[in-house]
Amino acid sequence: MLTHVWGLLAHPYREWKQMHDERETVTHLYAHHVFVMGAIPVICAYIGTTQVGWGLGGERTIKLNLLDAFYAGIAFYIAILAAVFVMGSVIHWMAQRYANPPSRRRCVIFAGYLATPMFLSGMVALYPLVWLCLLAGIIGLCYTAYLLYVGIPAFLDISSEEGFIVSSTTLAIGVLVLEALLAVTVLLWGYGERILLSLF
């Protein structure tokens, strides 16, 4: 797993080519990559929101107690795991326009590894300033876009010219999924307790 993570960051084209020849399953992907990498932003957000607290950079912060943060973490983790499968299914659906489209299994595996920079950007949630988390998210998204454009021909066997529409549409839908996850993150981790108190 760590070899693929480093390879995708250091030499993505070569790493996609190497992964192309592996006989990986979705179960193996989740067990050895998504479950572990998806836990990074969850654990970091748990520590950050219970020990430091959400803030905009001033003195005022919003902290969650350990139990509220635990429940928010479970919901966030499930959302991350589901988002990987949803994005894999979107890529599979978009690729159906080609003569030899990749299988759903291959597309979900592609999406799982594609999310690696976003998982790693979640480390900034240890010190959860809103602007810092947004900056890290933007950097992670930019590198994810790069991995997407490199990986479409190298891993999914769709030429760069043909894959431009798949890449662009996948990136656009991925941004929408990311924005939904960010909104859920802010609601659950930052303002969930305040919203609940205002309702009851």
Side-chain angles (χ1 to χ4, degrees):
M1 180 201 76
L2 293 177
T3 305
H4 287 325
V5 171
W6 173 249
L8 287 171
L9 297 177
H11 42 80
Y13 184 79
R14 192 167 75 208
E15 197 66 26
W16 281 128
K17 278 293 191 185
Q18 180 183 331
M19 288 189 289
H20 176 276
D21 299 327
E22 295 174 357
R23 300 277 184 209
E24 189 164 18
T25 64
V26 173
T27 305
H28 184 270
L29 167 79
Y30 268 83
H32 291 89
H33 186 78
V34 178
F35 286 152
V36 177
M37 296 299 290
I40 291 173
V42 176
I43 292 169
C44 291
Y46 179 84
I47 295 168
T49 55
T50 56
Q51 304 304 311
V52 179
W54 275 104
L56 292 169
E59 294 180 12
R60 193 159 171 250
T61 59
I62 300 170
K63 282 188 182 180
L64 292 182
N65 65 50
L66 297 177
L67 192 58
D68 287 341
F70 178 74
Y71 290 136
I74 290 173
F76 186 42
Y77 191 54
I78 291 170
I80 288 172
L81 300 181
V84 168
F85 189 82
V86 167
M87 286 310 302
S89 297
V90 167
I91 294 168
H92 179 254
W93 175 68
M94 288 300 302
Q96 293 306 300
R97 64 197 311 265
Y98 302 111
N100 296 306
S103 65
R104 183 184 298 272
R105 174 191 66 83
R106 197 160 191 77
C107 291
V108 171
I109 291 168
F110 181 63
Y113 286 114
L114 193 60
T116 300
M118 298 305 300
F119 293 148
L120 293 174
S121 69
M123 287 192 287
V124 299
L126 282 170
Y127 191 70
L129 289 174
V130 172
W131 66 267
L132 185 61
C133 290
L134 286 174
L135 178 62
I138 290 168
I139 292 170
L141 181 64
C142 289
Y143 199 79
T144 297
Y146 173 67
L147 287 182
L148 176 66
Y149 284 102
V150 169
I152 288 277
F155 187 79
L156 296 182
D157 295 323
I158 298 172
S159 71
S160 299
E161 295 78 18
E162 289 181 325
F164 183 76
I165 294 174
V166 175
S167 300
S168 302
T169 307
T170 301
L171 186 60
I173 294 171
V175 168
L176 293 176
V177 170
L178 175 64
E179 287 176 357
L181 279 175
L182 287 175
V184 168
T185 302
V186 171
L187 289 174
L188 288 175
W189 292 103
Y191 300 100
E193 188 174 27
R194 180 174 288 181
I195 291 168
L196 288 173
L197 288 174
S198 67
L199 291 175
F200 299 106

